[in-house]
Amino acid sequence: MSTVLLIAIFVVFVVAALLTLWRIIVGPSILDRAVASDVLLTEVLCVLGAEMAINQHTRTLPVLLVIAAVGVFGSISIARFVARKDTVER
């Protein structure tokens, strides 16, 4: 694969990760941080998937599945927490 293409992919993922980390830090709400953390997990999945495609292997497939499960369960937990907090405040 072309070195220029690999560098371009790397730069795009790094910029996206930095912007996502900025949103996690700045917020302003817990839902903004939750969405940003989901985006960051998705970026990690994409990087691992791109690495698998470039090197033509499937060794990291179990890691992809675990990260995806953590993302789903984390989103559900945060949604339940926010919903419970919203009903308590009313």
Side-chain angles (χ1 to χ4, degrees):
M1 191 167 237
S2 173
T3 307
V4 175
L5 181 60
L6 290 175
I7 292 172
I9 291 169
F10 177 74
V11 168
V12 167
F13 279 127
V14 167
V15 168
L18 289 175
L19 290 172
T20 304
L21 285 173
W22 178 75
R23 178 51 61 189
I24 290 172
I25 293 169
V26 172
S29 71
I30 191 169
L31 293 177
D32 289 330
R33 290 182 172 101
V35 170
S37 66
D38 283 343
V39 170
L40 190 60
L41 280 175
T42 304
E43 290 171 2
V44 169
L45 287 171
C46 290
V47 167
L48 289 174
E51 188 270 330
M52 282 176 40
I54 290 168
N55 294 326
Q56 297 177 351
H57 68 82
T58 58
R59 290 185 302 269
T60 56
L61 190 61
V63 176
L64 289 173
L65 294 173
V66 169
I67 291 173
V70 167
V72 168
F73 294 136
S75 297
I76 291 170
S77 300
I78 291 172
R80 289 186 65 164
F81 172 75
V82 170
R84 186 176 303 145
K85 186 177 176 184
D86 189 38
T87 58
V88 170
E89 290 178 0
R90 287 184 182 195

Coordinates of all heavy atoms in Angstrom, one line a residue:
M1 N 0.9 -1.2 0.0 CA 0.0 0.0 0.0 C 0.9 1.2 0.0 O 2.0 1.2 0.6 CB -0.9 0.0 1.2 CG -2.0 1.0 1.2 SD -3.2 0.7 2.4 CE -4.7 0.5 1.4
S2 N 0.4 2.3 -0.6 CA 1.2 3.5 -0.7 C 1.4 4.2 0.6 O 0.6 4.2 1.5 CB 0.4 4.5 -1.6 OG 1.1 5.7 -1.7
T3 N 2.7 4.6 0.8 CA 3.0 5.3 2.1 C 2.3 6.6 2.2 O 1.9 6.9 3.4 CB 4.5 5.6 2.1 OG1 5.2 4.3 1.8 CG2 5.0 6.1 3.4
V4 N 2.0 7.3 1.2 CA 1.3 8.5 1.3 C -0.1 8.3 1.7 O -0.7 9.0 2.6 CB 1.3 9.3 -0.1 CG1 0.4 10.5 -0.1 CG2 2.7 9.6 -0.5
L5 N -0.7 7.2 1.2 CA -2.1 6.9 1.7 C -2.1 6.5 3.1 O -3.0 6.9 3.9 CB -2.6 5.7 0.8 CG -4.1 5.3 1.1 CD1 -5.0 6.4 0.9 CD2 -4.4 4.1 0.2
L6 N -1.2 5.8 3.6 CA -1.1 5.4 5.0 C -0.9 6.6 5.9 O -1.6 6.7 7.0 CB 0.0 4.4 5.2 CG -0.2 3.0 4.7 CD1 1.1 2.2 4.9 CD2 -1.4 2.3 5.3
I7 N -0.1 7.5 5.5 CA 0.1 8.8 6.3 C -1.2 9.6 6.3 O -1.6 10.1 7.3 CB 1.3 9.6 5.7 CG1 2.6 8.8 6.0 CG2 1.3 11.0 6.3 CD1 3.8 9.4 5.3
A8 N -1.9 9.7 5.1 CA -3.1 10.4 5.1 C -4.2 9.8 6.0 O -4.9 10.5 6.7 CB -3.7 10.5 3.7
I9 N -4.3 8.5 6.0 CA -5.2 7.8 6.9 C -4.9 8.1 8.4 O -5.7 8.4 9.2 CB -5.2 6.3 6.6 CG1 -5.9 6.0 5.3 CG2 -6.0 5.5 7.7 CD1 -5.7 4.6 4.8
F10 N -3.6 8.0 8.7 CA -3.1 8.2 10.0 C -3.5 9.7 10.5 O -4.0 9.9 11.6 CB -1.6 8.0 10.1 CG -1.0 8.3 11.5 CD1 -1.3 7.4 12.6 CD2 -0.3 9.4 11.7 CE1 -0.7 7.7 13.8 CE2 0.3 9.7 12.9 CZ 0.0 8.8 14.0
V11 N -3.2 10.6 9.6 CA -3.5 12.0 10.0 C -5.0 12.3 10.2 O -5.4 12.9 11.1 CB -2.9 13.0 8.9 CG1 -3.5 14.4 9.0 CG2 -1.4 12.9 8.9
V12 N -5.8 11.7 9.3 CA -7.3 11.9 9.5 C -7.7 11.3 10.8 O -8.5 11.9 11.5 CB -8.0 11.2 8.3 CG1 -9.5 11.1 8.6 CG2 -7.8 12.0 7.0
F13 N -7.3 10.1 11.2 CA -7.7 9.5 12.4 C -7.2 10.2 13.6 O -7.9 10.4 14.6 CB -7.2 8.0 12.5 CG -8.1 7.1 11.8 CD1 -7.6 6.2 10.8 CD2 -9.5 7.0 12.0 CE1 -8.4 5.3 10.1 CE2 -10.3 6.2 11.3 CZ -9.8 5.3 10.4
V14 N -6.0 10.8 13.6 CA -5.4 11.5 14.7 C -6.2 12.8 14.9 O -6.5 13.2 16.0 CB -3.9 11.8 14.5 CG1 -3.4 12.8 15.4 CG2 -3.1 10.5 14.6
V15 N -6.5 13.5 13.8 CA -7.3 14.8 13.9 C -8.7 14.5 14.5 O -9.1 15.2 15.3 CB -7.3 15.5 12.5 CG1 -8.3 16.6 12.5 CG2 -6.0 16.0 12.1
A16 N -9.3 13.4 14.0 CA -10.6 13.1 14.5 C -10.6 12.7 16.0 O -11.4 13.1 16.7 CB -11.2 11.9 13.7
A17 N -9.6 12.0 16.4 CA -9.4 11.6 17.8 C -9.2 12.8 18.7 O -9.7 13.0 19.8 CB -8.3 10.6 18.0
L18 N -8.3 13.8 18.2 CA -8.1 15.0 19.0 C -9.3 15.8 19.1 O -9.6 16.4 20.2 CB -6.9 15.8 18.3 CG -5.5 15.2 18.5 CD1 -4.5 16.0 17.7 CD2 -5.1 15.0 19.9
L19 N -10.1 16.0 18.1 CA -11.3 16.7 18.1 C -12.3 16.1 19.1 O -13.0 16.7 19.8 CB -11.9 16.9 16.8 CG -11.2 17.9 15.8 CD1 -11.8 17.8 14.4 CD2 -11.2 19.3 16.4
T20 N -12.4 14.8 19.0 CA -13.3 14.0 19.9 C -12.8 14.1 21.4 O -13.7 14.3 22.3 CB -13.3 12.5 19.5 OG1 -13.7 12.5 18.1 CG2 -14.3 11.8 20.3
L21 N -11.5 14.1 21.6 CA -11.1 14.2 23.0 C -11.4 15.7 23.5 O -11.7 15.8 24.7 CB -9.6 14.0 23.1 CG -9.2 12.5 23.0 CD1 -7.6 12.4 22.9 CD2 -9.7 11.8 24.2
W22 N -11.3 16.6 22.6 CA -11.6 18.0 23.0 C -13.1 18.1 23.4 O -13.4 18.7 24.4 CB -11.3 19.0 21.9 CG -11.7 20.4 22.2 CD1 -11.0 21.2 23.0 CD2 -12.8 21.1 21.7 NE1 -11.7 22.4 23.0 CE2 -12.8 22.4 22.2 CE3 -13.9 20.7 20.8 CZ2 -13.8 23.3 22.0 CZ3 -14.8 21.7 20.6 CH2 -14.8 22.9 21.1
R23 N -14.0 17.4 22.7 CA -15.4 17.4 23.1 C -15.6 16.7 24.4 O -16.5 17.1 25.2 CB -16.2 16.8 21.9 CG -17.7 16.7 22.2 CD -18.3 18.0 22.7 NE -18.2 19.0 21.7 CZ -18.5 20.3 21.9 NH1 -19.0 20.7 23.1 NH2 -18.4 21.2 21.0
I24 N -14.9 15.6 24.6 CA -15.0 14.9 25.9 C -14.6 15.8 27.1 O -15.3 15.9 28.1 CB -14.2 13.6 25.9 CG1 -14.9 12.6 24.9 CG2 -14.1 13.0 27.3 CD1 -14.0 11.3 24.7
I25 N -13.5 16.5 26.9 CA -13.0 17.4 28.0 C -13.9 18.6 28.2 O -14.3 19.0 29.3 CB -11.6 17.8 27.7 CG1 -10.7 16.6 27.7 CG2 -11.1 18.9 28.6 CD1 -9.3 16.9 27.2
V26 N -14.3 19.3 27.1 CA -15.1 20.5 27.2 C -16.5 20.3 27.5 O -17.1 21.0 28.3 CB -14.9 21.3 25.9 CG1 -15.9 22.5 25.9 CG2 -13.5 21.8 25.7
G27 N -17.1 19.3 27.0 CA -18.5 19.0 27.3 C -19.5 19.7 26.4 O -19.4 19.5 25.2
P28 N -20.4 20.5 26.9 CA -20.7 20.9 28.2 C -21.6 20.0 29.1 O -21.6 20.0 30.3 CB -21.4 22.2 28.0 CG -22.1 22.1 26.7 CD -21.2 21.2 25.9
S29 N -22.3 19.1 28.4 CA -23.2 18.2 29.2 C -22.7 16.8 29.2 O -21.8 16.4 28.4 CB -24.6 18.2 28.6 OG -24.7 17.6 27.3
I30 N -23.3 15.9 30.0 CA -22.9 14.5 30.1 C -23.2 13.8 28.8 O -22.5 12.9 28.3 CB -23.5 13.9 31.3 CG1 -22.9 12.5 31.5 CG2 -25.0 13.7 31.2 CD1 -23.2 11.8 32.8
L31 N -24.3 14.2 28.1 CA -24.7 13.6 26.9 C -23.7 13.9 25.7 O -23.4 13.1 24.9 CB -26.1 14.0 26.4 CG -27.2 13.5 27.4 CD1 -28.6 14.0 26.9 CD2 -27.2 12.0 27.4
D32 N -23.2 15.1 25.7 CA -22.1 15.5 24.8 C -20.9 14.6 25.0 O -20.3 14.1 24.0 CB -21.7 16.9 24.9 CG -22.7 17.9 24.4 OD1 -23.5 17.5 23.5 OD2 -22.8 19.0 24.9
R33 N -20.5 14.4 26.2 CA -19.4 13.6 26.5 C -19.6 12.1 26.2 O -18.7 11.4 25.7 CB -19.0 13.7 28.0 CG -18.5 15.1 28.4 CD -18.1 15.1 29.8 NE -17.4 16.4 30.1 CZ -17.9 17.5 30.6 NH1 -19.2 17.4 31.0 NH2 -17.2 18.6 30.8
A34 N -20.9 11.6 26.4 CA -21.2 10.3 26.0 C -21.1 10.0 24.5 O -20.6 9.0 24.1 CB -22.6 9.9 26.6
V35 N -21.7 11.0 23.8 CA -21.6 10.8 22.3 C -20.2 10.9 21.8 O -19.8 10.1 21.0 CB -22.5 11.9 21.6 CG1 -22.2 12.0 20.2 CG2 -23.9 11.7 21.9
A36 N -19.4 11.8 22.4 CA -18.0 11.9 22.0 C -17.2 10.6 22.4 O -16.3 10.2 21.6 CB -17.3 13.1 22.7
S37 N -17.5 10.0 23.5 CA -16.8 8.7 23.9 C -17.2 7.6 22.9 O -16.4 6.8 22.6 CB -17.1 8.4 25.3 OG -18.5 8.0 25.5
D38 N -18.5 7.6 22.5 CA -18.9 6.6 21.5 C -18.2 6.9 20.1 O -17.8 5.9 19.5 CB -20.4 6.7 21.2 CG -21.2 6.1 22.3 OD1 -20.7 5.3 23.1 OD2 -22.4 6.4 22.4
V39 N -18.0 8.1 19.8 CA -17.3 8.4 18.6 C -15.8 8.0 18.7 O -15.2 7.4 17.7 CB -17.4 9.9 18.2 CG1 -16.4 10.3 17.1 CG2 -18.8 10.3 17.9
L40 N -15.2 8.2 19.8 CA -13.8 7.8 20.1 C -13.7 6.3 20.0 O -12.8 5.7 19.4 CB -13.3 8.3 21.4 CG -11.8 8.2 21.6 CD1 -11.0 8.9 20.6 CD2 -11.5 8.7 23.0
L41 N -14.7 5.5 20.6 CA -14.6 4.1 20.4 C -14.8 3.6 19.0 O -14.1 2.7 18.5 CB -15.7 3.5 21.3 CG -15.4 3.3 22.8 CD1 -16.6 2.8 23.5 CD2 -14.2 2.5 23.0
T42 N -15.6 4.3 18.3 CA -15.8 4.0 16.8 C -14.5 4.3 16.1 O -14.2 3.5 15.2 CB -17.0 4.8 16.3 OG1 -18.2 4.6 17.0 CG2 -17.2 4.5 14.8
E43 N -13.8 5.4 16.4 CA -12.6 5.6 15.7 C -11.5 4.6 16.0 O -10.8 4.1 15.1 CB -12.0 7.0 16.2 CG -12.9 8.1 15.6 CD -12.5 9.5 16.2 OE1 -11.5 9.5 17.1 OE2 -13.1 10.5 15.9
V44 N -11.5 4.1 17.3 CA -10.6 3.0 17.6 C -11.0 1.7 16.8 O -10.1 1.0 16.3 CB -10.6 2.7 19.1 CG1 -9.9 1.4 19.5 CG2 -10.1 3.9 19.9
L45 N -12.3 1.5 16.7 CA -12.7 0.3 15.9 C -12.3 0.5 14.4 O -11.8 -0.5 13.8 CB -14.2 0.2 15.9 CG -14.8 -0.4 17.2 CD1 -16.3 -0.3 17.2 CD2 -14.4 -1.8 17.4
C46 N -12.4 1.7 13.9 CA -12.0 1.9 12.5 C -10.5 1.8 12.3 O -10.0 1.2 11.3 CB -12.4 3.3 12.1 SG -14.2 3.5 11.9
V47 N -9.7 2.2 13.3 CA -8.3 2.1 13.2 C -7.9 0.6 13.2 O -7.0 0.2 12.4 CB -7.6 2.9 14.3 CG1 -6.1 2.5 14.4 CG2 -7.7 4.4 14.1
L48 N -8.5 -0.1 14.1 CA -8.1 -1.6 14.2 C -8.6 -2.3 12.9 O -7.9 -3.2 12.4 CB -8.8 -2.2 15.4 CG -8.1 -1.8 16.8 CD1 -9.0 -2.4 17.9 CD2 -6.7 -2.3 16.8
G49 N -9.8 -1.9 12.4 CA -10.3 -2.5 11.2 C -9.4 -2.2 10.0 O -9.1 -3.0 9.1
A50 N -8.9 -0.9 9.9 CA -8.0 -0.5 8.8 C -6.7 -1.3 9.0 O -6.1 -1.7 7.9 CB -7.8 1.0 8.9
E51 N -6.2 -1.5 10.2 CA -5.0 -2.2 10.4 C -5.1 -3.7 10.0 O -4.2 -4.3 9.3 CB -4.5 -2.1 11.9 CG -3.2 -2.7 12.2 CD -3.2 -4.1 12.5 OE1 -4.2 -4.6 13.1 OE2 -2.2 -4.8 12.2
M52 N -6.3 -4.2 10.3 CA -6.6 -5.6 9.8 C -6.6 -5.7 8.3 O -6.1 -6.7 7.7 CB -7.9 -6.1 10.4 CG -7.9 -6.5 11.8 SD -9.4 -6.9 12.5 CE -10.2 -7.9 11.3
A53 N -7.2 -4.7 7.7 CA -7.3 -4.8 6.2 C -5.9 -4.6 5.5 O -5.6 -5.2 4.5 CB -8.3 -3.7 5.7
I54 N -5.2 -3.7 6.1 CA -3.8 -3.4 5.5 C -2.9 -4.6 5.7 O -2.2 -5.0 4.7 CB -3.2 -2.1 6.2 CG1 -4.0 -0.9 5.7 CG2 -1.8 -2.0 5.8 CD1 -3.7 0.4 6.5
N55 N -2.9 -5.2 6.9 CA -2.0 -6.3 7.1 C -2.6 -7.7 6.8 O -2.0 -8.7 7.0 CB -1.5 -6.3 8.6 CG -0.7 -5.1 8.8 OD1 0.1 -4.6 8.0 ND2 -0.8 -4.6 10.0
Q56 N -3.9 -7.7 6.4 CA -4.6 -8.9 5.9 C -4.5 -10.0 6.9 O -4.0 -11.1 6.7 CB -4.0 -9.4 4.6 CG -4.2 -8.4 3.5 CD -3.5 -8.8 2.2 OE1 -2.8 -9.8 2.1 NE2 -3.8 -8.1 1.1
H57 N -5.1 -9.7 8.1 CA -5.2 -10.7 9.2 C -6.5 -10.4 9.9 O -7.2 -9.4 9.7 CB -4.0 -10.7 10.1 CG -4.0 -9.4 11.0 ND1 -4.7 -9.3 12.1 CD2 -3.3 -8.3 10.8 CE1 -4.4 -8.1 12.6 NE2 -3.6 -7.5 11.9
T58 N -6.9 -11.4 10.8 CA -8.1 -11.3 11.6 C -7.8 -11.5 13.1 O -8.7 -11.8 13.8 CB -9.2 -12.3 11.1 OG1 -8.7 -13.6 11.2 CG2 -9.6 -12.0 9.7
R59 N -6.6 -11.3 13.5 CA -6.2 -11.6 14.9 C -6.9 -10.6 15.9 O -7.1 -11.0 17.0 CB -4.7 -11.5 15.0 CG -4.0 -12.7 14.4 CD -2.5 -12.6 14.7 NE -1.9 -11.4 14.2 CZ -1.3 -11.2 13.1 NH1 -1.3 -12.2 12.2 NH2 -0.7 -10.1 12.7
T60 N -7.2 -9.4 15.4 CA -7.7 -8.4 16.3 C -9.3 -8.4 16.3 O -9.9 -7.5 16.9 CB -7.2 -7.0 16.0 OG1 -7.4 -6.7 14.7 CG2 -5.7 -6.9 16.3
L61 N -9.9 -9.3 15.6 CA -11.3 -9.4 15.6 C -12.0 -9.5 16.9 O -13.0 -8.8 17.2 CB -11.8 -10.5 14.6 CG -13.3 -10.5 14.3 CD1 -13.6 -9.2 13.6 CD2 -13.6 -11.7 13.4
P62 N -11.5 -10.4 17.9 CA -12.1 -10.4 19.2 C -12.0 -9.1 20.0 O -12.9 -8.7 20.7 CB -11.2 -11.5 19.9 CG -10.7 -12.4 18.8 CD -10.5 -11.4 17.7
V63 N -10.9 -8.4 19.7 CA -10.8 -7.1 20.4 C -11.8 -6.1 19.8 O -12.4 -5.3 20.6 CB -9.3 -6.5 20.1 CG1 -9.2 -5.1 20.7 CG2 -8.3 -7.4 20.7
L64 N -12.1 -6.2 18.5 CA -13.1 -5.3 17.9 C -14.5 -5.6 18.6 O -15.3 -4.7 18.8 CB -13.2 -5.6 16.4 CG -12.0 -5.0 15.6 CD1 -12.2 -5.5 14.1 CD2 -12.0 -3.5 15.7
L65 N -14.8 -6.9 18.7 CA -16.1 -7.3 19.3 C -16.2 -6.8 20.8 O -17.3 -6.3 21.2 CB -16.2 -8.8 19.2 CG -16.4 -9.4 17.8 CD1 -16.3 -10.9 17.9 CD2 -17.6 -8.9 17.2
V66 N -15.1 -6.9 21.5 CA -15.2 -6.5 22.9 C -15.4 -5.0 23.0 O -16.2 -4.4 23.8 CB -13.9 -6.9 23.7 CG1 -13.8 -6.2 25.0 CG2 -13.9 -8.4 23.9
I67 N -14.6 -4.2 22.2 CA -14.8 -2.8 22.2 C -16.2 -2.3 21.7 O -16.8 -1.4 22.3 CB -13.7 -2.1 21.3 CG1 -12.3 -2.3 21.9 CG2 -14.0 -0.6 21.0 CD1 -11.2 -1.9 21.0
A68 N -16.7 -3.0 20.8 CA -18.1 -2.7 20.3 C -19.1 -3.0 21.5 O -20.0 -2.2 21.7 CB -18.5 -3.5 19.1
A69 N -18.9 -4.1 22.2 CA -19.8 -4.4 23.3 C -19.7 -3.4 24.4 O -20.7 -3.0 25.0 CB -19.5 -5.8 23.8
V70 N -18.5 -3.0 24.7 CA -18.3 -2.0 25.7 C -19.0 -0.7 25.3 O -19.6 0.0 26.2 CB -16.8 -1.7 26.0 CG1 -16.5 -0.5 26.8 CG2 -16.2 -2.9 26.7
G71 N -18.9 -0.3 24.1 CA -19.5 0.9 23.6 C -21.0 0.9 23.7 O -21.7 1.8 24.2
V72 N -21.6 -0.3 23.3 CA -23.1 -0.4 23.4 C -23.6 -0.4 24.9 O -24.5 0.4 25.2 CB -23.5 -1.7 22.7 CG1 -25.0 -2.0 23.0 CG2 -23.3 -1.6 21.2
F73 N -22.9 -1.2 25.7 CA -23.3 -1.2 27.1 C -23.1 0.1 27.8 O -23.8 0.5 28.7 CB -22.7 -2.4 27.8 CG -23.1 -3.7 27.3 CD1 -22.2 -4.7 27.1 CD2 -24.4 -4.0 27.0 CE1 -22.5 -6.0 26.6 CE2 -24.8 -5.2 26.6 CZ -23.9 -6.2 26.4
G74 N -22.0 0.8 27.5 CA -21.7 2.1 28.1 C -22.8 3.1 27.7 O -23.2 3.9 28.5
S75 N -23.2 3.1 26.4 CA -24.2 4.0 26.0 C -25.6 3.7 26.7 O -26.3 4.7 27.1 CB -24.4 3.9 24.5 OG -23.3 4.3 23.8
I76 N -25.9 2.5 26.8 CA -27.1 2.1 27.5 C -27.1 2.6 29.0 O -28.0 3.1 29.5 CB -27.4 0.6 27.4 CG1 -27.7 0.2 26.0 CG2 -28.5 0.2 28.3 CD1 -27.8 -1.2 25.7
S77 N -25.9 2.4 29.6 CA -25.8 2.8 31.0 C -25.9 4.3 31.2 O -26.6 4.7 32.1 CB -24.4 2.3 31.6 OG -24.3 0.9 31.5
I78 N -25.3 5.0 30.3 CA -25.4 6.5 30.4 C -26.8 6.9 30.2 O -27.3 7.8 30.8 CB -24.4 7.1 29.5 CG1 -23.0 6.9 30.0 CG2 -24.6 8.6 29.3 CD1 -21.9 7.3 29.0
A79 N -27.5 6.3 29.2 CA -28.9 6.7 28.9 C -29.8 6.4 30.1 O -30.6 7.3 30.4 CB -29.4 6.0 27.6
R80 N -29.6 5.3 30.7 CA -30.4 5.0 31.9 C -30.1 5.9 33.0 O -31.0 6.3 33.8 CB -30.2 3.5 32.3 CG -30.8 2.6 31.3 CD -30.7 1.2 31.8 NE -31.5 1.1 33.0 CZ -31.9 0.0 33.6 NH1 -31.5 -1.2 33.0 NH2 -32.6 0.0 34.6
F81 N -28.8 6.3 33.2 CA -28.5 7.2 34.3 C -29.1 8.6 34.0 O -29.6 9.2 35.0 CB -26.9 7.3 34.3 CG -26.5 8.4 35.3 CD1 -26.5 8.2 36.6 CD2 -25.9 9.6 34.8 CE1 -26.1 9.2 37.5 CE2 -25.5 10.6 35.6 CZ -25.6 10.4 37.0
V82 N -29.0 9.1 32.8 CA -29.6 10.4 32.5 C -31.1 10.3 32.6 O -31.7 11.3 33.2 CB -29.1 10.8 31.1 CG1 -29.9 12.1 30.7 CG2 -27.6 11.1 31.1
A83 N -31.7 9.3 32.2 CA -33.2 9.2 32.3 C -33.6 9.1 33.8 O -34.6 9.8 34.2 CB -33.7 7.9 31.6
R84 N -32.9 8.4 34.6 CA -33.2 8.3 36.0 C -33.0 9.7 36.7 O -33.8 10.1 37.5 CB -32.4 7.2 36.7 CG -32.8 7.0 38.2 CD -32.0 5.9 38.8 NE -32.2 4.7 38.1 CZ -31.2 3.8 37.9 NH1 -30.1 3.9 38.4 NH2 -31.5 2.7 37.2
K85 N -31.9 10.3 36.4 CA -31.6 11.7 36.9 C -32.7 12.7 36.5 O -33.1 13.5 37.3 CB -30.2 12.1 36.5 CG -29.8 13.4 37.1 CD -28.4 13.7 36.6 CE -27.9 15.0 37.2 NZ -26.6 15.4 36.6
D86 N -33.2 12.6 35.3 CA -34.2 13.5 34.8 C -35.5 13.3 35.5 O -36.2 14.2 35.9 CB -34.4 13.3 33.3 CG -35.3 14.3 32.7 OD1 -35.2 15.5 33.1 OD2 -36.0 14.0 31.8
T87 N -35.9 12.0 35.8 CA -37.2 11.8 36.5 C -37.1 12.2 38.0 O -38.1 12.5 38.6 CB -37.6 10.3 36.4 OG1 -36.5 9.5 36.9 CG2 -37.9 9.9 35.0
V88 N -35.9 12.1 38.6 CA -35.7 12.5 40.0 C -35.9 14.0 40.2 O -36.4 14.5 41.1 CB -34.4 12.0 40.5 CG1 -34.1 12.5 41.9 CG2 -34.4 10.4 40.6
E89 N -35.4 14.7 39.2 CA -35.4 16.2 39.3 C -36.7 16.8 39.1 O -37.0 17.9 39.5 CB -34.4 16.8 38.3 CG -32.9 16.5 38.7 CD -32.0 17.1 37.6 OE1 -32.4 17.7 36.6 OE2 -30.8 16.9 37.8
R90 N -37.6 16.1 38.5 CA -39.0 16.6 38.2 C -39.9 16.6 39.4 O -40.0 16.2 40.4 CB -39.6 15.8 37.1 CG -39.0 16.2 35.8 CD -39.7 15.5 34.7 NE -39.0 15.8 33.4 CZ -39.5 15.7 32.3 NH1 -40.7 15.1 32.1 NH2 -38.8 16.0 31.2

